[in-house]
Amino acid sequence: MSSPPRRRADAERSRTAVLDAAVQLLGERPDAGMAAVATAAGVTRQTVYAHFSSRDDLLTAVVDRVTERVAEAMDAAGADEGPAPDALLRLLDAAWRAAETYPALVSLGARPAPPDEDRARHRPIADRIAHVLERGRDGGAFDPEPALSWQVAAVIALSHATAEEIRAGRMPADDATAALHSGLLRLLAPDAPGEA
């Protein structure tokens, strides 16, 4: 027998409250424990554990929630509007702004993970990048020769490297973003006629 709809709705609201509190709290204090998350959410520790069996489960859910919000920001950036190179840069800028809003993504998203889990974690972002790259490859703005999966991985890797330079204080955000933009466009550009 399934739970009554009201109880399921209450449980979902409780889970959402815990997750929203965790996103906020862990963005400010990445080492915060389950008790602190419970306090921030206004629930008991038992309630937190009822939804998330361990801190790792909660961290995974936080990264997934923030990734959803970054993907929503990318969707609003107009991936199908204008030239593909411009659309790609808009997508990345939207992702960056959303990630800055949720510092939990930066600190928690960088946690080591098995390759399959890491690919799954990046899939919503990778799919949106791949869509714009395919458009650019079909239209001649991006090189169609390298594997699309390699190009997507390169965009993500360079974006992470840019974030790390900014986070470590080695480059101002504007300079790092400009370097990312110009570097990506050079990397993705098709060979000029006569080049090997």
Side-chain angles (χ1 to χ4, degrees):
M1 180 191 292
S2 62
S3 302
R6 179 180 167 93
R7 226 166 62 212
R8 280 198 304 270
D10 289 346
E12 187 53 39
R13 275 194 298 277
S14 173
R15 184 182 190 282
T16 298
V18 170
L19 204 44
D20 288 345
V23 166
Q24 183 65 38
L25 180 64
L26 293 169
E28 298 162 2
R29 293 178 31 218
D31 59 339
M34 299 290 263
V37 170
T39 299
V43 299
T44 65
R45 266 180 50 173
Q46 290 81 2
T47 300
V48 175
Y49 279 107
H51 297 297
F52 305 100
S53 62
S54 68
R55 188 171 187 277
D56 277 348
D57 285 348
L58 177 61
L59 294 180
T60 298
V62 165
V63 171
D64 290 347
R65 168 62 62 88
V66 174
T67 299
E68 286 171 14
R69 292 188 178 161
V70 170
E72 290 167 3
M74 293 174 82
D75 288 344
D80 291 321
E81 298 169 15
D86 294 344
L88 177 64
L89 299 183
R90 278 197 314 274
L91 236 62
L92 295 177
D93 288 347
W96 178 255
R97 284 190 302 274
E100 280 185 318
T101 304
Y102 302 104
L105 177 67
V106 175
S107 57
L108 300 176
R111 290 184 308 142
D116 287 346
E117 185 181 321
D118 193 55
R119 273 192 295 280
R121 179 186 293 164
H122 282 99
R123 183 160 323 283
I125 307 303
D127 288 349
R128 285 156 175 83
I129 292 170
H131 173 75
V132 176
L133 291 177
E134 283 178 322
R135 192 161 72 82
R137 288 161 62 107
D138 291 346
F142 297 143
D143 189 351
E145 290 302 315
L148 177 64
S149 61
W150 180 87
Q151 288 179 323
V152 171
V155 169
I156 291 172
L158 287 173
S159 297
H160 282 249
T162 300
E164 180 55 33
E165 289 300 295
I166 295 167
R167 196 167 44 250
R170 291 186 290 265
M171 288 182 82
D174 289 346
D175 293 351
T177 302
L180 173 66
H181 287 185
S182 63
L184 279 177
L185 295 181
R186 283 196 305 274
L187 176 71
L188 297 169
D191 287 338
E195 288 186 10

